[in-house]
Amino acid sequence: MIPSRRTLLAALAAVGTLASLAACAGGSDSSGASDAGGGTYSFWDPYPQFDASSAWGKRVSRCGTKAGVTLKRTAYDTTDLGNKALLAAQQGNAPDVMLVDNPVVSTLVEAGILNRTSDLGLDTKSVQQNIIGAGTIDGAAYGIPIGANTLGLYYNKKVLSAAGVDPASVKDWNSLTAALQKVRSTGKKGITFSAIGTEEGSFQFLPWFWGAGADLKELNSAKGVAALSLWKQWVDDGLAPKDVLQNTQTTSWQEFATGEYAFGENGTWQLGNADKAGFDYGVINIPAQKGGSAPVPTGGEFVTVPVQKDTARYDVTGKIVTCLTSDANLLASDTTLTYVAPVAAVQAEQVRQNPKLKPWVAAVAAARGRTSGGLGTTYPTISQPLWTAVQAALSGGKSAQSALDTAQAGAQKG
């Protein structure tokens, strides 16, 4: 069934609100619609930074060839892709296959423009449940993840050593705060992160929020207040810089890369930059309040199949999706996209080939989708009040409790 214009317009507004943070960014504005004839199928992705000669571009082309067709690839930036997908569906010329950021899946499903994977005969049994959860609505999967990236704590070995801190001793919030205090006493800096007033700020706050046991449906619970109070304490005590209020994940990384900080909260996508930083580093999982690994939000994209008027195209489309998500190609995502595979057997091979991925596999195992747990398209109406609360508390404008009370009221209105 082709969705109604009213449904698509509502979804278009939701995609605009999501404005994804993702690790993959760039800009491009080329067009590419489905060509029903000549053995040409269309594929859209959010990777304009990769041209046809890149490993990713070649992989897409090979999957078309393997399916017996020419696969015409078009790249947009993440937000633009979601908007164009909705408009293309309204016009009846959606692409055959589309790779979309995981929080957008539920919006596209609500608009009625994606097929269930089970209806296409695609197998998702081997995919980790917490990863595919971001693309699962009412028990049905609407895409297959090509991998996941998430957050961890990078640490500077020299800075910690000089402060007499063993990174293995950082197991909960108290031990992390104690480590930051020891580092400060040596004249170095504690921890940097992104608390900017965008989705990036919510993304980086979620491990601490979830690590306290808080629920996004109740932002102002005592557990949520504890998480925001932790960040506020760090900023007020000088253990984290005040510029976290303006930091994106990129500028936060640049601070950590100066070599002055003990810890930097950042993602899998910084591994290449970490190797170029000029100092020895390590990675630990973000600790939960009382110990163990905190749940972290999953980043990454899903291969999806938009609804087509010509259902005869789905046979070839299924072959293309199967190729893009094969174990061999998921393994290749390690070096192409710096993703942890969504399949345990492939993760094991990734770690064998690159031991530095071991903590990231553990982090992904503890991760959850931002739209999981039935939140779906309500997530943006929660995330914006949440990042606004973080800004209000860290700037000193409100107490953590007051800021989250306001956020909860705003989320309920949304």
Side-chain angles (χ1 to χ4, degrees), residues 4-25:
S4 69
R5 184 172 186 274
R6 178 178 295 178
T7 301
L8 287 166
L9 289 175
L12 189 62
V15 169
T17 303
L18 270 168
S20 174
L21 60 100
C24 302

Side-chain angles (χ1 to χ4, degrees), residues 25 50 65 128 137 142 181 187 250 255 264 278 284 289 320 335 370:
F50 298 132
T65 300
Q128 284 185 192
I137 294 88
Y142 285 83
Q181 292 168 338
T250 298
E255 283 187 331
I284 59 173
Q289 182 179 20
I320 294 169
T335 52
R370 284 163 278 172

Side-chain angles (χ1 to χ4, degrees), residues 153-219:
L153 288 182
Y154 288 85
Y155 63 86
N156 185 316
K157 292 183 178 181
K158 183 177 180 180
V159 170
L160 288 187
S161 178
V165 174
D166 180 354
S169 69
V170 177
K171 298 180 180 298
D172 53 24
W173 290 3
N174 286 339
S175 55
L176 176 56
T177 299
L180 299 180
Q181 292 168 338
K182 288 181 180 179
V183 167
R184 183 182 58 184
S185 70
T186 68
K188 292 293 185 178
K189 299 176 181 179
I191 186 170
T192 181
F193 49 86
S194 171
I196 194 170
T198 68
E199 176 62 21
E200 287 190 69
S202 291
F203 188 76
Q204 290 238 321
F205 182 60
L206 281 175
W208 311 95
F209 185 82
W210 284 335
D215 189 316
L216 286 171
K217 295 176 183 176
E218 189 182 357
L219 297 178

Side-chain angles (χ1 to χ4, degrees), residues 128 130-131 147-154 267-269 271 283-286 293-298 330-331 334 338-368:
Q128 284 185 192
N130 65 321
I131 300 178
N149 53 33
T150 194
L151 297 167
L153 288 182
Y154 288 85
T268 329
W269 54 90
L271 278 172
V283 180
I284 59 173
N285 295 143
I286 296 174
S293 295
V296 283
T298 52
L330 291 177
L331 180 61
D334 171 13
T338 321
Y339 276 164
V340 172
V343 176
V346 182
Q347 291 174 356
E349 180 60 21
Q350 285 182 303
V351 172
R352 190 188 71 78
Q353 293 184 11
N354 181 5
K356 289 182 179 179
L357 287 174
K358 186 175 181 179
W360 295 107
V361 169
V364 165
R368 63 177 68 161

Side-chain angles (χ1 to χ4, degrees), residues 59 83 85 92 110 140 143 200 215 253 256 271 277 280 293 314 325 373 385 397-398:
R59 184 202 304 186
N83 291 336
E110 187 173 84
E200 287 190 69
D215 189 316
W253 176 260
F256 177 72
L271 278 172
D280 287 337
S293 295
Y314 293 150
T325 58
K398 292 184 177 181

Side-chain angles (χ1 to χ4, degrees), residues 367-414:
R368 63 177 68 161
R370 284 163 278 172
T371 58
S372 296
L375 291 180
T377 55
T378 65
Y379 173 73
T381 67
I382 296 169
S383 179
Q384 185 166 355
L386 182 60
W387 80 56
T388 303
V390 171
Q391 287 264 305
L394 299 194
S395 66
K398 292 184 177 181
S399 67
Q401 181 71 64
S402 176
L404 288 172
D405 284 343
T406 301
Q408 181 63 20
Q412 288 174 334
K413 288 180 182 177

